[in-house]
Amino acid sequence: MSVITSRTSIRNYNANEQISIEELQEILSITTQAPSAWNLQHWHFTVFHSEEAKKQLLPIAYNQNQIVESSAVIAILGDLKANKNTDSVYEPLVEAGYMTSEIKETLAKQINGAYTDEGFARDAAFSNASLAAMQFMLTAKAKGFDTCAIGGFNKEQFVKEFNVSERYVPVMLITIGKAQKAAHKSNRLDLQQVSTWL
């Protein structure tokens, strides 16, 4: 609970603090344990770890200093064609005896039917990738790092600059590092304003 309640959006990082590739890989591995519809794991991560990569990203993120001051930046991408993961996800379960071939085929039919709707595919890409994004931020906090989710960046330019496949849609950027300055004070709406009880 302390991890959840202490997580804040940090925009000022100690530029001298580094995060290793191994630490990022561990955090991302735990991130992939996030839930997803049909377990299709609708996410892809573009990792900006080097100083050069972060500088290349900087103008695309409207020159926000946290991009280059942070230890790394993770771009969370949503998978518009997550139905293509069906065999990779379910075939090992069939081979291990956890699922029958008939159930796998039934699920595949449902999934591919849903993915004929481009609106559904886009909504699923955003909602499921966002689950991974929250998992990343909480895992980072548990490991002693601070983060900030960023929606303000030029998504079209991002796709062009980094040759992103049309399969993926940029959802958000997340900076990660050690805070130089505490987050500014904020409040939350009263529970009664954001809930309806039936």
Side-chain angles (χ1 to χ4, degrees), residues 20-195:
S20 70
I21 291 174
E22 292 75 20
E23 287 172 310
L24 273 176
Q25 287 175 331
E26 182 183 9
I27 292 170
L28 286 168
S29 291
I30 296 169
T31 296
T32 65
Q33 298 298 311
S36 60
W38 284 303
N39 194 30
L40 292 178
Q41 301 162 58
H42 315 54
W43 43 69
H44 188 84
F45 311 113
T46 303
V47 182
F48 297 84
H49 187 249
S50 69
E51 295 304 313
E52 294 77 14
K54 290 186 289 180
K55 286 177 183 175
Q56 189 179 1
L57 177 61
L58 182 61
I60 295 170
Y62 306 128
N63 296 307
Q64 297 177 69
N65 282 339
Q66 61 175 301
I67 296 295
V68 289
E69 290 176 351
S70 64
S71 301
V73 183
I74 309 298
I76 308 291
L77 309 180
D79 190 349
L80 296 169
K81 297 180 180 178
N83 57 312
K84 292 184 180 292
N85 294 339
T86 303
D87 283 344
S88 298
V89 169
Y90 294 129
E91 194 56 41
L93 298 178
V94 173
E95 291 174 0
Y98 299 134
M99 177 184 287
T100 66
S101 295
E102 291 75 18
I103 290 175
K104 179 200 163 193
E105 292 307 316
T106 298
L107 289 170
K109 185 176 180 181
Q110 291 173 355
I111 291 165
N112 287 320
Y115 272 80
T116 61
D117 181 343
E118 290 184 6
F120 171 88
R122 186 173 176 84
D123 288 347
F126 272 83
S127 62
N128 290 282
S130 294
L131 292 171
M134 193 71 245
Q135 181 103 333
F136 177 85
M137 289 186 282
L138 291 176
T139 303
K141 189 63 178 176
K143 292 288 184 181
F145 293 96
D146 298 295
T147 57
C148 183
I150 301 172
F153 65 104
N154 188 321
K155 295 176 176 63
E156 290 182 5
Q157 191 179 352
F158 181 94
V159 167
K160 183 177 179 181
E161 182 72 19
F162 301 110
N163 299 312
V164 176
S165 165
E166 65 179 11
R167 174 171 175 167
Y168 301 108
V169 58
V171 175
M172 70 183 77
L173 305 174
I174 302 178
T175 50
I176 180 171
K178 297 292 182 81
Q180 177 73 27
K181 190 168 73 172
H184 61 75
K185 296 296 182 184
S186 65
N187 67 332
R188 292 294 183 268
L189 297 173
D190 185 89
L191 178 61
Q192 296 305 316
Q193 290 181 257
V194 299
S195 64

